[in-house]
Amino acid sequence: MLDTSRLILRGKRQDAIFNIIGILFTLVGIVTLGVLVADLLIDGLPRLSQQFMTSFPSRNPARAGILSAWVGTLMVIAVTICTAVPIGVAAAVYLEEYATKNWVTTLIEINISNLAGVPSIIYGLMALGLLVYQFHLGRSVLVGGLTLALLVLPIVIVSTREAIRAIPATIREAAYAAGATKWQVIRYHLIPYSMGGIATGTIIAMSRAIGETAPLITIGALSYVAFVPGWREFANGQWLNSGFTALPIQMFNWVSRPQAAFHQNAAATGLVLIFFTLAINGVAMYLRYRIRRNLKW
């Protein structure tokens, strides 16, 4: 005869052990992150100033700044967002709602999932051969943004598909019963209701893209840039063809130097990069919150 009380006690004990193990593993990640951030604060916080943010790189570490690096990062991320999100959402909608379920679709889905794990330098090599040498686009902001867009595109596609799948089937059935077409169901129901999941995927994708160094170095991003595009270049779109650098590249350049003062500059640059990442995530989470609050199921 089964002793139910003993089984319940054993189950509770296993749950408690699992909770303790989960908390310990979580603390390992939190403590590690805290130590890294604390180390950056100790080394880099004294260097953060208006002069550091508004000056160009220099051989003199006391006069060096990151103006061209953070402007280049924002330009590249803008191109990445404007490219990866529309294409990724459109591809996800097609695969989820329009594509016929056959071996070709299955092969495409498997390849998309596999592309999410491809090393980033492979995308850099592909962009170098295709965009720089084949299409002659140059080593520009446009090429850098397109390279990172290719890198994060699988993340956007997969997250968007999961968000669409999470929508209850009753939403589609009610819309079809009211006489809506397939596109109207997608346009007015599926896309708005899945916007929270799309925003989450975009957050993850941009968090990865903003810290990537290898593909940008591969396509020939500059390590020393003493200029930024002016308002006229931004107005007529010529900034897309401008040379650029980025915060991760600037950090790599300074860390590779032997002087301790440049290492402090690299730590300060790391703090700025963390701030940019948190700012982008914060804006995306705020938009997701507003969208979810305005939706009515």
Side-chain angles (χ1 to χ4, degrees), residues 7-280:
L7 291 176
I8 293 174
L9 182 61
R10 180 184 300 174
K12 290 182 178 179
R13 189 182 299 112
Q14 292 175 349
D15 289 342
I17 294 173
F18 180 79
N19 287 334
I20 293 173
I21 294 175
I23 292 173
L24 290 176
F25 285 157
T26 304
L27 288 176
V28 169
I30 294 176
V31 170
T32 302
L33 177 62
V35 171
L36 292 175
V37 173
D39 183 65
L40 288 178
L41 287 172
I42 293 172
D43 294 336
L45 192 58
R47 285 289 295 125
L48 286 179
S49 64
Q50 183 179 359
Q51 179 271 336
F52 184 74
M53 297 294 297
T54 58
S55 299
F56 291 108
S58 171
R59 294 180 180 179
N60 186 346
R63 293 186 300 178
I66 58 171
L67 175 60
S68 56
W70 68 260
V71 171
T73 295
L74 293 181
M75 291 190 298
V76 170
I77 290 299
V79 175
T80 302
I81 293 176
C82 293
T83 305
V85 175
I87 295 177
V89 172
V93 169
Y94 172 77
L95 291 174
E96 198 64 29
E97 299 296 327
Y98 288 99
T100 304
K101 304 302 179 183
N102 51 32
W103 68 272
V104 177
T105 306
T106 303
L107 184 63
I108 293 174
E109 294 174 351
I110 293 174
N111 282 310
I112 290 175
S113 300
N114 290 336
L115 285 174
V118 172
S120 59
I121 194 172
I122 302 300
Y123 288 94
L125 292 172
M126 180 186 67
L128 180 65
L130 184 64
L131 301 179
V132 177
Y133 293 148
Q134 188 68 30
F135 293 155
H136 305 289
L137 296 179
R139 307 171 191 271
S140 60
V141 172
L142 178 62
V143 173
L146 292 177
T147 302
L148 296 183
L150 293 173
L151 174 66
V152 301
L153 189 60
I155 301 176
V156 177
I157 295 176
V158 172
S159 60
T160 301
R161 294 190 66 189
E162 293 298 328
I164 294 175
R165 290 175 183 174
I167 300 175
T170 53
I171 299 294
R172 295 178 175 85
E173 294 170 359
Y176 286 133
T181 63
K182 192 177 188 66
W183 169 244
Q184 289 174 331
V185 172
I186 295 172
R187 169 66 179 81
Y188 296 105
H189 297 281
L190 297 187
I191 296 297
Y193 290 141
S194 62
M195 194 61 68
I198 296 173
T200 301
T202 303
I203 292 172
I204 297 172
M206 294 307 111
S207 297
R208 180 182 180 185
I210 198 172
E212 286 292 343
T213 306
L216 298 182
I217 292 177
T218 304
I219 64 172
L222 304 174
S223 59
Y224 177 82
V225 175
F227 64 88
V228 293
W231 293 111
R232 181 176 298 177
E233 285 78 9
F234 280 108
N236 57 26
Q238 291 182 358
W239 62 276
L240 292 172
N241 298 321
S242 173
F244 72 99
T245 188
L247 289 171
I249 296 177
Q250 190 64 69
M251 285 184 63
F252 176 78
N253 183 22
W254 281 338
V255 168
S256 62
R257 299 192 178 188
Q259 296 92 334
F262 281 116
H263 296 174
Q264 294 177 355
N265 288 350
T269 307
L271 292 175
V272 175
L273 184 60
I274 292 175
F275 172 77
F276 277 12
T277 304
L278 294 178
I280 292 175

